[in-house]
Amino acid sequence: MKTKITLLALVLFLGFNVVNAQQDQECMTNLSIFSEYAKAKNYNAAYEPWMKVRNKCPQLNRAIYTYGEDILDSKIENATGSEKIGYINDLMLLWKQREEHFADKTPKGEYAAKSCQLMYDNRELLNKSTEELYDCFDAAFKADRETFTNPKSLYTYFSLMVDLFDEGKKTDAQLFNKYDDIKEKVDEEIGDYSEDLNKLIEKEDAGQTLTSKEERYKKYYESYLNAYDQIASSIDKKLGDRANCENLIPLYNKDFEENKTNAVWLQRAAGKMSEKECTDDPLFFKLVNANHNLSPSANSAYYLGILKDKEGKPNEALKFYEQSISLETDNFKKAKLNEKIGDKLKGKGSYSSARNYYSKALQLNPSNGRPHLKIADMYNRSANDCGDSNFNKRAVFWLAAQEAEKAGRVDPTLKSAAAQSAKSYNAKAPTKSDIFSDDMSGKTISIGCWIQRSVTVPKI
């Protein structure tokens, strides 16, 4: 009896494996078929064999989900009405199935945000309310902030918050907190991509040629930096005058006592008042001092510098600005602080000192071209004061143009603005006729004044 049972079990086991092998072979065949169709963008032909593999062997290969997304995107694009709704829902189901079977290759924040964005893009067809959509993005952001990185989705998320605020369904505090949440996330992404791009720029500056792979990565980093730069501007534009001094001051005054030991709240409140130039109000003094006493940081030291500037004590202000740099450990943030200090000195006409800080900013973050443009602007403004002849005065514009061109070379977000600036400066420089008549072709001119640089006259 025991022998019969063992034989029966063996037959059943072998039979099960034969069935599994047949199913696997069938799945492998269909996987190959739909993959070839999908590669050729023949999504209609790919759909049926793809569905067979998806239903029978959902763990077989991640191509089920990568190509499946393309297949369903095509179906959604070409369908209408209830049929389109069905495909939309199926795509969101596909992402859930991907997470179930390939969890380590399916970042939660990224794919949750994709589902929310899909619903948002089809909100009228799906009859989704602003609250439903916002809650979807909010849950995705809170579930996995690290991988919620899509620029478009970050903007949509904030835009929905603003819409709810305008409808009276969110408070001022909720709006400003969400602005800070998303702005900080955008800044983090810009910092990360800038760090990666800086390595390639430094290699180019050292005279080394990038490999083809590095060239592709450079374009990839530049593309994302462009996208985040646009999103950062759009978020600020969307917030608009909702965060002006008239709104911020009473709100932060009301909440100060409750939050005077909350370092994050104090930092964000002081930061927002600084951004919106509400620094003349006594509340800014209270926020900054409370923040610095509770948790001295680079930002709190920088804000104390602002206060000293307001008091007409520039030397004391500079000490706090220097302290802010020494307290900062992140190179990207340290570069921003150097640029901010440079801006303040530039505004006071201290061009040489401003250039020093801009140069430090460029050393820390060479893919940010703004300091180059600001140095170029200072050269432009100083042309009349820093040359000992009419020709040499106008030669300063070549120096300004060269600095502007550097901005366009290193910073993908400034290519157009940098090119326009360089063109404008070159137009004010000596012409070929001037070079010929003054016999200056190919000669080097030393620029005096605070500039203390030399420029080579173009050869004609």
Side-chain angles (χ1 to χ4, degrees):
M1 181 68 177
K2 185 177 179 182
T3 303
K4 288 182 179 179
I5 292 172
T6 303
L7 286 171
L8 177 61
L10 181 61
V11 169
L12 289 172
F13 174 77
L14 290 172
F16 177 75
N17 278 283
V18 169
V19 171
N20 271 357
Q22 289 173 344
Q23 285 182 340
D24 287 351
Q25 185 57 49
E26 183 184 355
C27 285
M28 289 299 294
T29 299
N30 281 311
L31 174 67
S32 177
I33 293 170
F34 86 68
S35 296
E36 289 304 313
Y37 279 133
K39 286 176 188 176
K41 302 188 185 304
N42 187 351
Y43 298 122
N44 285 332
Y47 183 78
E48 185 177 343
W50 168 69
M51 282 295 288
K52 287 179 179 178
V53 182
R54 176 190 179 188
N55 292 329
K56 273 192 175 182
C57 307
Q59 293 177 302
L60 181 63
N61 193 294
R62 193 153 46 96
I64 297 167
Y65 304 95
T66 54
Y67 283 133
E69 186 172 334
D70 294 335
I71 291 166
L72 288 175
D73 275 338
S74 176
K75 290 289 187 183
I76 291 167
E77 186 179 349
N78 293 289
T80 57
S82 60
E83 185 183 30
K84 184 170 184 173
I85 292 172
Y87 287 130
I88 290 170
N89 289 331
D90 198 30
L91 179 53
M92 290 189 286
L93 174 61
L94 182 74
W95 287 329
K96 289 181 180 178
Q97 291 170 337
R98 174 182 170 134
E99 182 180 2
E100 179 185 347
H101 299 296
F102 292 91
D104 60 332
K105 299 292 185 181
T106 311
K108 285 187 177 180
E110 177 185 345
Y111 279 85
K114 286 173 79 165
S115 286
C116 300
Q117 190 67 51
L118 182 63
M119 286 192 285
Y120 177 83
D121 292 341
N122 295 277
R123 56 194 178 279
E124 293 180 5
L125 181 65
L126 299 175
N127 196 28
K128 294 291 182 181
S129 68
T130 305
E131 292 97 326
E132 287 177 299
L133 293 166
Y134 175 79
D135 289 345
C136 181
F137 281 104
D138 197 43
F141 191 76
K142 289 174 179 175
D144 187 7
R145 181 184 182 278
E146 184 179 352
T147 66
F148 189 128
T149 59
N150 184 277
K152 180 181 178 182
S153 292
L154 284 166
Y155 175 74
T156 304
Y157 180 25
F158 182 67
S159 179
L160 288 165
M161 165 58 85
V162 173
D163 292 342
L164 290 173
F165 172 80
D166 289 345
E167 293 171 15
K169 295 174 181 176
K170 295 291 182 182
T171 65
D172 292 34
Q174 289 173 316
L175 174 65
F176 301 149
N177 283 337
K178 191 51 58 184
Y179 171 86
D180 288 330
D181 286 341
I182 297 174
K183 195 69 185 291
E184 286 169 9
K185 178 61 181 172
V186 170
D187 285 345
E188 286 171 18
E189 294 300 315
I190 291 174
D192 289 343
Y193 281 108
S194 295
E195 186 177 343
D196 291 332
L197 182 58
N198 287 340
K199 295 172 186 174
L200 301 179
I201 289 173
E202 287 165 1
K203 183 176 178 179
E204 287 182 316
D205 286 344
Q208 300 177 47
T209 304
L210 299 183
T211 65
S212 57
K213 183 178 180 181
E214 286 173 331
E215 287 285 3
R216 289 195 300 273
Y217 273 119
K218 185 183 179 186
K219 289 179 182 177
Y220 172 77
Y221 300 148
E222 289 177 341
S223 174
Y224 264 90
L225 283 170
N226 258 320
Y228 282 117
D229 182 68
Q230 291 171 10
I231 290 303
S233 299
S234 297
I235 287 171
D236 284 336
K237 186 176 180 180
K238 185 74 176 178
L239 181 64
D241 290 336
R242 296 170 183 85
N244 55 28
C245 298
E246 289 74 17
N247 292 332
L248 293 174
I249 293 169
L251 172 68
Y252 293 147
N253 263 320
K254 177 174 68 72
D255 293 342
F256 179 79
E257 284 301 317
E258 182 183 345
N259 291 283
K260 63 184 179 183
T261 58
N262 183 335
V264 174
W265 185 89
L266 290 168
Q267 167 58 40
R268 286 182 166 188
K272 186 68 80 281
M273 290 192 68
S274 175
E275 287 171 20
K276 298 299 179 180
E277 299 183 356
C278 310
T279 54
D280 288 333
D281 193 272
L283 174 63
F284 184 69
F285 179 85
K286 281 173 62 178
L287 290 168
V288 169
N289 281 283
N291 188 24
H292 198 69
N293 292 334
L294 181 65
S295 179
S297 67
N299 284 324
S300 65
Y302 176 78
Y303 298 141
L304 285 171
I306 292 177
L307 289 174
K308 291 301 178 183
D309 260 337
K310 294 283 184 185
E311 294 171 14
K313 300 175 180 176
N315 291 335
E316 290 184 41
L318 193 57
K319 287 179 183 177
F320 278 114
Y321 293 146
E322 285 290 348
Q323 185 184 12
S324 74
I325 292 171
S326 67
L327 287 169
E328 185 55 71
T329 57
D330 181 274
N331 279 348
F332 180 73
K333 293 178 181 178
K334 188 175 285 193
K336 290 179 74 172
L337 284 169
N338 275 285
E339 185 181 354
K340 284 182 180 180
I341 296 167
D343 290 345
K344 290 193 171 297
L345 292 167
K346 178 176 180 281
K348 295 175 182 178
S350 300
Y351 288 168
S352 180
S353 296
R355 183 176 60 186
N356 288 338
Y357 282 99
Y358 288 143
S359 296
K360 291 175 185 176
L362 288 166
Q363 289 169 11
L364 292 162
N365 183 20
S367 63
N368 173 21
R370 289 190 305 271
H372 283 302
L373 286 181
K374 292 168 183 177
I375 293 171
D377 180 57
M378 293 191 298
Y379 290 160
N380 172 55
R381 292 170 184 268
S382 302
N384 197 50
D385 302 320
C386 294
D388 55 9
S389 69
N390 182 55
F391 188 95
N392 288 359
K393 289 177 190 291
R394 293 172 63 199
V396 175
F397 295 120
W398 279 320
L399 204 59
Q402 290 169 11
E403 200 70 31
E405 286 165 358
K406 290 178 188 176
R409 182 176 63 81
V410 302
D411 193 332
T413 70
L414 294 175
K415 288 190 186 298
S416 176
Q420 289 177 2
S421 294
K423 183 179 179 181
S424 171
Y425 297 143
N426 278 320
K428 293 189 282 187
T431 64
K432 288 182 179 181
S433 175
D434 296 326
I435 296 170
F436 177 78
S437 61
D438 284 49
D439 190 26
M440 293 296 289
S441 177
K443 293 182 179 179
T444 299
I445 299 172
S446 294
I447 308 296
C449 189
W450 70 270
I451 295 179
Q452 294 298 309
R453 296 287 188 270
S454 61
V455 62
T456 301
V457 179
K459 290 183 178 181
I460 57 170

